[in-house]
Amino acid sequence: TPQSDIERVVRIAAKENKFSMLHCSGDRAMDMGLTAIESVMKTTKENTLTRIEHFGMFQMQDSQLERAKKLKARGLHISVQPTWLLELVKADFENMPAEVAKTGFQFRKMIDAGLEPAAGTDMTGIYMGNINPFTAMYASVTRQSDRGVFQPEQAVTVTEALSMWTLWAAKSIGESKLKGSLEVGKFADMVVLSDDIFAIPPDKIKDLKVTATIVNGEVIYSTDLDIKSV
């Protein structure tokens, strides 16, 4: 996609008070997305919600992290797909130089930079295993990958992993006043887990099951729990 077209999309979205989502898989694409957002921000007074999909998933330069930090205050959010740690790290090292491949999946750096990465599945209808968030949380916390433990210094805490799938995800779509955490005035959306995610060993996170699902205070799914409403 030409740079001018990317900027046109972001500019139209900002003018119409909509948020733009740029699919940037790779460091060159990330540079183009960041440049487009920077260009629009220079001529827009109001903060505008923008999002970069796959930010830093397979490559991330420190300069791109710094650019994203500056744009965060103007409405930039980033989306990552930690489940690919379990399936694509090996492929990265097979298809690009090791020095480049090792710069992917740097979630610790993103969080420390204040970017609050939102985690998703990258679900396209063919990767059914991606639906389960607990395998992806397990990978984020333990840094297990299809190539062994990958860059363990980039591990996140359990609390941070939960934030990636809840509050930060809600922020990334502009709905943090309604969703993402249990607070007065928000929807009572929650799940009940088969075990205490904070107490079990990190390698057991992948085995967690949902025993009840509550949406806006109404139980829409349950197994052995006698829950009627919240």
Side-chain angles (χ1 to χ4, degrees), residues 31-94:
D31 274 338
M32 295 176 75
L34 289 167
T35 295
I37 294 170
E38 287 168 343
S39 176
V40 173
M41 293 299 184
K42 288 178 181 178
T43 58
T44 302
K45 292 182 180 180
E46 301 297 327
N47 293 345
T48 304
L49 182 64
T50 55
R51 194 165 89 201
I52 292 182
E53 305 298 308
H54 307 305
F55 185 91
M57 281 296 294
F58 306 110
Q59 308 103 26
M60 184 179 72
Q61 302 167 12
D62 287 344
S63 59
Q64 294 167 330
L65 188 68
E66 290 302 314
R67 293 174 72 184
K69 284 173 59 177
K70 293 178 181 179
L71 291 170
K72 181 71 167 63
R74 295 296 308 274
L76 173 67
H77 291 272
I78 63 172
S79 171
V80 296
Q81 298 71 38
T83 193
W84 291 126
L85 273 166
L86 300 171
E87 299 185 39
L88 292 179
V89 173
K90 183 178 179 182
D92 287 351
F93 280 86
E94 291 173 347

Side-chain angles (χ1 to χ4, degrees), residues 69-147:
K69 284 173 59 177
K70 293 178 181 179
L71 291 170
K72 181 71 167 63
R74 295 296 308 274
L76 173 67
H77 291 272
I78 63 172
S79 171
V80 296
Q81 298 71 38
T83 193
W84 291 126
L85 273 166
L86 300 171
E87 299 185 39
L88 292 179
V89 173
K90 183 178 179 182
D92 287 351
F93 280 86
E94 291 173 347
N95 289 284
M96 65 183 79
E99 288 302 307
V100 177
K102 73 179 185 180
T103 67
F105 304 95
Q106 298 185 75
F107 305 139
R108 174 81 271 141
K109 271 192 174 183
M110 297 176 194
I111 292 173
D112 289 346
L115 293 184
E116 300 181 329
T121 64
D122 199 23
M123 183 62 194
T124 59
I126 57 176
Y127 302 108
M128 297 305 292
N130 290 9
I131 293 175
N132 186 348
F134 301 115
T135 54
M137 289 184 189
Y138 151 79
S140 302
V141 173
T142 66
R143 296 298 293 189
Q144 287 292 338
S145 77
D146 60 349
R147 197 175 181 265

Side-chain angles (χ1 to χ4, degrees), residues 188-222:
D189 295 347
M190 66 193 86
V191 294
V192 179
L193 303 182
S194 58
D195 214 328
D196 184 348
I197 193 172
F198 296 105
I200 59 176
D203 64 346
K204 298 296 184 182
I205 293 175
K206 65 182 184 300
D207 302 320
L208 285 169
K209 306 294 183 184
V210 172
T211 59
T213 302
I214 299 135
V215 178
N216 199 21
E218 296 298 323
V219 178
I220 62 170
Y221 166 80
S222 66

